[in-house]
Amino acid sequence: MLRPERMSKVSVTGSRGVMPAVIETVHELSLVHLSDYDGSWEGFDNGNPMAGADRASEKLVTVRALESTLELSADEAESGSIDEGWEDRLESVRTRVNELDDRRGEITDELRQINEKIDRIAPFAELGIDLDLLSGYETVDVLVGEGPLEEVEAAVAASDDIRAFETFTGGDIVAVVAAPTEDADENPIDDALVGVEFTRYEVPDTEQSPEDYVDELESRKRDLESRLDEIDAELAEIKDEEAEFLLRVEEELTIEVQQAEAPLQFATTERAFVAEGWIPTDEYDRLVAALNDAVGDSVEIEELERADYDRHGAHSHTEDVQKGTPAGADEEDDSAAEADDQRQKAVTDGGSAVTMGDEPPTIQDNPGPAKPFELLVQAVNRPKYSELDPTIFLFLTFPLFFGFMIGDVGYGIMYVAIGAYMATQFDSKGVTSLGGVAIWAGLFTILFGFVYGEIFGLHILGEVVWHDLLNVELLPLNKGLEPAAADFALGWMVVSVLAGIVHLNIGYILDFYENLSHGVKDALFHSGSWILMINGIWIWIFSAQAEGSKPDFLFTTFASDGPFPIGFTGFPMWSLFTFPEAIPLLGGFPLTAPLLVFLIGFVMLGVSEPVELVESLDVVVNVFSYTRMGAVLLAKAGMAFVVNLLFFGAYEDPDGEFHFLRNHEPSYVAEHYGEGADVVFGGLMHSGTAALLGGLVILVLGHIVVLVLGVTSAGLQAVRLEYVEFFNKFYEGGGENYEPFGTDRN
């Protein structure tokens, strides 16, 4: 549907004594999107959490911490209930898990320290010198590190603070032993190596050899890893035993906390409460019936309003509904007044329950096939309740654009298969929605693949389906890569422009429809001006006026001898009059009907929105953006052609058409055509066994690359046209998600 699901604002008023029962009933229904009371009513305050809220919140934090430690997921529990004494069991689990987690943390820290020590000792093992020989001297200075030996020796030799030195090396490690002069500073070697790229290593404090020290550390490391495995095994055992229990407790506590904190959104006095929220209009009677069953006549239930769809403010026009319980019932006026009086008694101190002025949330209401495309709309912004939902238009045009750009039966089948896997094998709503989008995109890719007669870039379908089976001459349509079919390449650009004109017209018409709520005049001047301008200028572009200065392909693409032979060679001039020669700049210029239409739209826009006149050229620029579809079509076709060319090889016949060497050797070309054809490339499949195997790899990987790039190019370009060019004409977004008070039990 073009509109979100119809929403009603409801109010529930009652005494504080029945509030817990009301909250529990509304929570179980999971229908009401609660409104937040802002404290603006005289005599009313926001409610306080119910008794036990703090305790439940603390328990919930504990349970979720345990789930995080044990790495639990919701699919590890089956349906069931929790037994009495669950709090003692929870405390026991918490104690066991925390003790094990603390021990695991201590062991992990020690393991990290040991690994650091092993890393530090590795350079000394390369030297092969006992560690006790590298420290503890009073008359010499010792430094161990990594750096260029020649530069180190040169720097130390040049130092005035060192009278003698010796170096020892092992691998990239250098040990320098130096005897300082009597007046040298404390660290003469460090001073000498300033300016040399040298990494210093601290000498471990041990008398063992590096090898023995490493062996001792490795032994300790193995012991700690063993203990860590034991702890992980104990935690895994607890997880197996307690997973279902913890997940069930979390669900129950989540519900308890939600219900206990619900009064924070209510308006309350010492004796009464008022709760408001939004509910799908069709569900109102079910809400009334459930509350009547739960608390009888102890509450007053009202449908306050049914929100209108005026894009300029949902509350500016709302449908009047009958007050009282239930809404819409054909009650007598005195019954409605009595219900209203009862409610006003509960709403003391002059409060009014029609002042929680929030906008209705949005429930996108689209048919099943279009549902996956709601994700693409939400990626930009969820539609406001008061505006059109563009999902259905995205559903109708995005796969069409995508299929047009890829147009290959083989790739289309792959997209459908990938989409079906995503839609059926994942629990994530986002992934399954993308899977649905991929399925539709793949189906249209298959459809256009038949139109182009291509399967993985080969023209087999064109020969078999259209020519051999159906004897159709006009199909398949060429993508325009061959010299003989160059007109098609320009023709697809023209087709892309026409698609843009139609697509943008739909956007402007939708904007016109939306603006009708402010009157026909507002719609005509604000939206109708754009419709006149885009159609006026593009009819003029395709008209015979100034034909000599326009590209020829505008008039030959659809000519009888053109790539799409429907006999169209341009619109006539439809000249209205010619400006007199005395008029500067326009003298002798014929004013045609399309230009007049454009000028009328331009003037109307200037009257209604003068600032937008600077954007009037968008009616041309935005349409040109759609030529990217033709460009991607040619690019993807070219990539598939290159992949097949490398493997099969190809030749160009005397008519300029390309043919892959699927069934012939390269020598066939010279034998069959003589010098009238050229072999473009001989093909790896005809170049020996090794080349054949390498060619198969190129063939498979190449088509996979084209398949992936089809998403990143055709997919993104189609989305861009929807978001930037189409949505900007009528769509704002920014709606609030419908989040009913309740919990989906797992």
Side-chain angles (χ1 to χ4, degrees):
M1 294 179 64
L2 296 183
R3 294 292 189 185
E5 187 170 340
R6 193 66 180 267
M7 303 295 290
S8 291
K9 187 69 172 288
V10 297
S11 170
V12 179
T13 306
S15 65
R16 294 287 291 268
V18 298
M19 188 166 66
V22 170
I23 291 174
E24 182 177 355
T25 302
V26 172
H27 189 278
E28 289 178 355
L29 287 174
S30 192
L31 286 176
V32 182
H33 179 99
L34 290 176
S35 301
D36 290 319
Y37 171 56
D38 61 4
S40 61
W41 302 349
E42 183 180 352
F44 282 83
D45 296 312
N46 291 92
N48 297 316
M50 294 190 295
D54 291 341
R55 179 195 62 83
S57 296
E58 292 175 2
K59 297 290 184 185
L60 184 59
V61 170
T62 298
V63 171
R64 288 175 174 167
L66 291 173
E67 290 176 348
S68 177
T69 301
L70 297 175
E71 298 179 352
L72 292 182
S73 59
D75 57 2
E76 296 181 73
E78 296 180 359
S79 59
S81 59
I82 56 177
D83 301 326
E84 293 184 7
W86 63 269
E87 292 186 72
D88 293 336
R89 182 177 176 183
L90 177 62
E91 180 61 24
S92 175
V93 174
R94 186 194 68 80
T95 301
R96 292 170 59 197
V97 171
N98 285 352
E99 288 178 354
L100 291 171
D101 193 46
D102 290 343
R103 286 164 51 194
R104 182 169 62 177
E106 293 171 359
I107 293 173
T108 301
D109 286 342
E110 189 174 349
L111 269 174
R112 178 181 52 79
Q113 294 173 8
I114 287 176
N115 285 327
E116 290 176 355
K117 290 179 180 179
I118 292 174
D119 291 339
R120 288 201 302 267
I121 199 65
F124 298 95
E126 291 189 46
L127 278 174
I129 301 175
D130 288 347
L131 297 175
D132 60 338
L133 299 177
L134 296 174
S135 62
Y137 299 104
E138 296 181 357
T139 58
V140 296
D141 191 17
V142 180
L143 185 66
V144 179
E146 185 174 351
L149 178 61
E150 294 181 358
E151 294 183 26
V152 169
E153 289 180 337
V156 174
S159 174
D160 295 334
D161 293 335
I162 298 175
R163 54 188 175 83
F165 73 93
E166 186 71 37
T167 58
F168 305 89
T169 60
D172 295 329
I173 306 304
V174 179
V176 182
V177 181
T181 60
E182 292 182 359
D183 58 348
D185 293 332
E186 185 176 353
N187 299 306
I189 303 179
D190 284 333
D191 295 340
L193 294 181
V194 172
V196 178
E197 189 175 344
F198 188 83
T199 303
R200 177 174 179 168
Y201 299 127
E202 295 293 332
V203 179
D205 185 14
T206 177
E207 296 181 356
Q208 295 175 296
S209 68
E211 292 80 5
D212 292 340
Y213 187 52
V214 169
D215 289 343
E216 180 181 320
L217 292 175
E218 291 287 355
S219 176
R220 178 59 178 165
K221 179 180 177 180
R222 288 190 295 270
D223 178 58
L224 292 174
E225 289 175 339
S226 177
R227 290 169 58 189
L228 199 59
D229 290 339
E230 293 175 0
I231 292 174
D232 288 340
E234 289 187 58
L235 288 172
E237 184 179 350
I238 295 175
K239 177 179 178 179
D240 292 338
E241 294 174 354
E242 308 294 350
E244 292 185 4
F245 166 73
L246 291 174
L247 291 166
R248 290 172 184 169
V249 169
E250 185 205 6
E251 186 174 75
E252 293 296 332
L253 287 173
T254 299
I255 294 171
E256 185 176 345
V257 169
Q258 287 178 345
Q259 294 181 4
E261 294 180 349
L264 294 171
Q265 297 176 268
F266 297 175
T268 63
T269 65
E270 291 182 358
R271 295 181 298 173
F273 75 93
V274 179
E276 289 186 13
W278 294 96
I279 187 172
T281 300
D282 294 341
E283 298 286 356
Y284 176 69
D285 290 340
R286 186 153 74 96
L287 172 67
V288 172
L291 287 174
N292 284 337
D293 290 342
V295 295
D297 297 332
S298 299
V299 295
E300 178 76 13
I301 310 164
E302 281 191 278
E303 183 181 10
L304 303 176
E305 60 175 312
R306 292 176 187 169
D308 192 22
Y309 291 118
D310 179 7
R311 71 183 298 189
H312 299 285
H315 290 108
S316 60
H317 301 285
T318 55
E319 181 179 334
D320 293 332
V321 296
Q322 187 163 347
K323 306 296 182 183
T325 308
D330 295 328
E331 301 180 32
E332 298 295 332
D333 291 343
D334 56 349
S335 299
E338 181 182 352
D340 191 55
D341 288 343
Q342 293 174 354
R343 181 176 175 282
Q344 290 301 327
K345 290 178 182 178
V347 185
T348 59
D349 299 322
S352 172
V354 197
T355 56
M356 293 188 191
D358 55 335
E359 294 296 321
T362 301
I363 303 177
Q364 290 177 267
D365 187 18
N366 292 288
K371 277 288 184 184
F373 292 84
E374 291 179 356
L375 178 70
L376 296 183
V377 174
Q378 293 166 12
V380 178
N381 223 329
R382 187 180 299 274
K384 294 179 182 177
Y385 174 82
S386 54
E387 67 180 341
L388 294 175
D389 181 356
T391 299
I392 193 69
F393 299 101
L394 202 65
F395 163 66
L396 293 173
T397 56
F398 175 83
L400 184 70
F401 292 164
F402 187 93
F404 171 79
M405 286 185 273
I406 302 298
D408 188 288
V409 173
Y411 295 139
I413 292 173
M414 296 298 295
Y415 288 132
V416 170
I418 294 171
Y421 178 79
M422 294 170 65
T424 58
Q425 300 301 314
F426 290 88
D427 295 328
S428 169
K429 184 179 179 180
V431 175
T432 56
S433 294
L434 285 177
V437 172
I439 290 173
W440 281 106
L443 290 174
F444 274 81
T445 301
I446 293 173
L447 175 63
F448 276 95
F450 277 104
V451 172
Y452 302 138
E454 286 195 4
I455 179 168
F456 291 115
L458 301 174
H459 292 262
I460 301 173
L461 285 177
E463 300 169 2
V464 175
V465 175
W466 299 116
H467 295 169
D468 297 344
L469 294 180
L470 302 178
N471 194 29
V472 175
E473 295 297 329
L474 293 178
L475 293 174
L477 299 176
N478 201 304
K479 288 187 176 179
L481 296 180
E482 306 165 3
D487 289 344
F488 274 95
L490 294 174
W492 291 124
M493 295 298 176
V494 177
V495 171
S496 300
V497 165
L498 295 178
I501 295 171
V502 173
H503 199 219
L504 295 181
N505 263 293
I506 294 173
Y508 287 128
I509 292 171
L510 292 175
D511 187 61
F512 181 90
Y513 173 75
E514 289 275 69
N515 281 307
L516 280 175
S517 60
H518 269 203
V520 176
K521 180 180 178 182
D522 184 74
L524 280 174
F525 277 82
H526 186 272
S527 305
S529 58
W530 290 100
I531 297 174
L532 293 175
M533 285 194 297
I534 189 172
N535 290 290
I537 195 64
W538 280 101
I539 291 175
W540 179 82
I541 290 174
F542 281 94
S543 73
Q545 186 176 15
E547 181 177 355
S549 60
K550 298 175 183 177
D552 291 338
F553 61 81
L554 292 177
F555 308 100
T556 59
T557 295
F558 300 103
S560 299
D561 57 348
F564 309 106
I566 62 174
F568 175 79
T569 57
F571 294 108
M573 284 186 58
W574 290 314
S575 180
L576 300 177
F577 67 89
T578 301
F579 288 96
E581 295 291 341
I583 297 179
L585 299 178
L586 296 177
F589 181 79
L591 178 64
T592 60
L595 284 179
L596 179 62
V597 169
F598 172 80
L599 291 174
I600 292 173
F602 186 82
V603 172
M604 290 171 62
L605 181 65
V607 171
S608 63
E609 298 287 346
V611 177
E612 293 189 10
L613 286 177
V614 297
E615 300 178 0
S616 59
L617 288 180
D618 284 356
V619 295
V620 176
V621 175
N622 290 168
V623 171
F624 278 139
S625 291
Y626 286 78
T627 57
R628 67 187 68 234
M629 293 199 301
V632 172
L633 181 151
L634 295 173
K636 290 295 154 287
M639 293 175 65
F641 174 81
V642 170
V643 172
N644 291 328
L645 172 67
L646 291 174
F647 181 74
F648 296 106
Y651 66 93
E652 181 184 346
D653 67 16
D655 295 327
E657 295 184 4
F658 289 129
H659 303 276
F660 291 112
L661 292 165
R662 294 183 289 109
N663 303 317
H664 304 287
E665 295 287 335
S667 58
Y668 163 84
V669 179
E671 296 172 359
H672 189 74
Y673 292 101
E675 297 182 356
D678 295 320
V679 175
V680 180
F681 181 68
L684 295 174
M685 70 174 292
H686 305 298
S687 304
T689 303
L692 173 63
L693 295 176
L696 286 172
V697 174
I698 292 174
L699 183 69
V700 174
L701 291 180
H703 282 300
I704 290 175
V705 169
V706 178
L707 187 77
V708 173
L709 291 180
V711 176
T712 59
S713 58
L716 292 180
Q717 294 298 343
V719 164
R720 184 205 174 279
L721 291 174
E722 301 284 1
Y723 290 170
V724 178
E725 314 300 347
F726 183 60
F727 281 14
N728 279 348
K729 303 300 176 285
F730 68 97
Y731 183 69
E732 294 180 3
E736 182 179 0
N737 186 29
Y738 170 66
E739 296 178 352
F741 177 62
T743 299
D744 293 331
R745 286 183 173 271
N746 294 321

